[in-house]
Amino acid sequence: MPNSLNKTTQTKDELETPVKSSPELAVFPLPIFLLPGGRQRLRIFEPKYLAMVAQAAQGDGFILATQDNSNSEHHSYWGTKVSIVDFNMSDDQILEIDVEGQELVQLHSSFRSQDGLIKSRFSSMPHWPELEYKVPNVVTAFLVQLFRDHDSIRNLYPTPDFESSQWICARLLEIMPIPIEKKTKFTEPTSFPSLVPFLNQIITGQ
């Protein structure tokens, strides 16, 4: 690639063949786990990421990829393509943006461009299929209580979907203090039925 300065290192072998059907998007490495439909508030202050936000606001979005805390050059082989749904200037004059996950994607041939941003081609990754799956009432009640107790969570979701088992479990998986490595196991399309008892066990201790 003509812009390429150096290849970034990922935590799993990625496909080296570029995906012709996808454009290159900026990759924002952060120690964050976000699924489709999930929202996160980000504080943006580095010039390269301010430029990324300006570009993303035109409709393309960007990709959040899990960062290795011990080495900022390492990020996961997959990420979540996000769009910006709101923005605000904080009291300390830092730009805050709310992003929403659109789809899971696999990254292909990531590289660092001349503006300092990591960029990558990508392809869609399947997530949980629509299933008629009832979650225990205690799981739903736990998430509802989190929304009541925490303004920072409630303000991100003006229209929460407490009727959807998948929405409930996805938000709990994002919010709860579970190692990201364990959370990642539940991105597999067939993992949802095992996620429900996993969350139930954590919440009830049984």
Side-chain angles (χ1 to χ4, degrees):
M1 296 180 183
N3 289 356
S4 181
L5 293 182
N6 61 284
K7 185 79 165 52
T8 62
T9 304
Q10 296 179 303
T11 57
K12 180 177 178 179
D13 290 339
E14 62 176 355
L15 299 180
E16 294 299 328
T17 303
V19 179
K20 296 180 181 179
S21 61
S22 77
E24 291 170 355
L25 280 185
V27 177
F28 197 172
L30 288 171
I32 290 174
F33 180 86
L34 192 70
L35 293 173
R39 292 190 172 193
Q40 182 74 44
R41 180 161 294 170
L42 307 176
R43 287 166 58 85
I44 309 296
F45 49 89
E46 288 188 55
K48 64 182 179 182
Y49 292 123
L50 289 169
M52 177 193 74
V53 167
Q55 179 64 35
Q58 299 178 21
D60 292 334
F62 59 92
I63 297 169
L64 282 180
T66 303
Q67 179 187 60
D68 182 345
N69 284 328
S70 65
N71 189 331
S72 62
E73 290 298 314
H74 287 70
H75 62 82
S76 60
Y77 71 97
W78 68 279
T80 305
K81 186 175 180 291
V82 302
S83 61
I84 300 172
V85 295
D86 199 6
F87 63 91
N88 185 47
M89 194 65 71
S90 67
D91 293 339
D92 55 357
Q93 297 303 299
I94 298 294
L95 176 65
E96 295 180 336
I97 62 171
D98 292 348
V99 298
E100 180 174 276
Q102 302 299 313
E103 63 174 330
L104 301 183
V105 295
Q106 182 173 7
L107 306 181
H108 303 267
S109 302
S110 302
F111 67 99
R112 191 174 294 278
S113 62
Q114 292 179 343
D115 58 10
L117 289 172
I118 299 172
K119 295 185 178 179
S120 183
R121 292 184 180 273
F122 61 92
S123 58
S124 296
M125 289 174 57
H127 191 37
W128 306 327
E130 290 296 327
L131 298 171
E132 292 293 331
Y133 204 100
K134 179 69 173 175
V135 300
N137 291 336
V138 67
V139 174
T140 302
F142 188 82
L143 181 63
V144 170
Q145 192 62 48
L146 285 176
F147 270 66
R148 289 174 178 167
D149 292 343
H150 299 280
D151 291 344
S152 59
I153 299 174
R154 185 173 61 252
N155 292 340
L156 284 173
Y157 296 95
T159 56
D161 189 0
F162 295 125
E163 299 300 317
S164 167
S165 296
Q166 291 175 314
W167 192 91
I168 291 167
C169 290
R171 303 297 76 82
L172 283 172
L173 188 61
E174 292 164 347
I175 294 169
M176 294 180 73
I178 302 166
I180 288 181
E181 297 77 18
K182 185 165 290 188
K183 292 184 179 187
T184 299
K185 295 178 180 178
F186 294 107
T187 59
E188 297 296 328
T190 58
S191 64
F192 185 72
S194 61
L195 173 60
V196 176
F198 174 76
L199 292 173
N200 186 64
Q201 183 179 28
I202 293 176
I203 292 168
T204 65
Q206 300 176 355

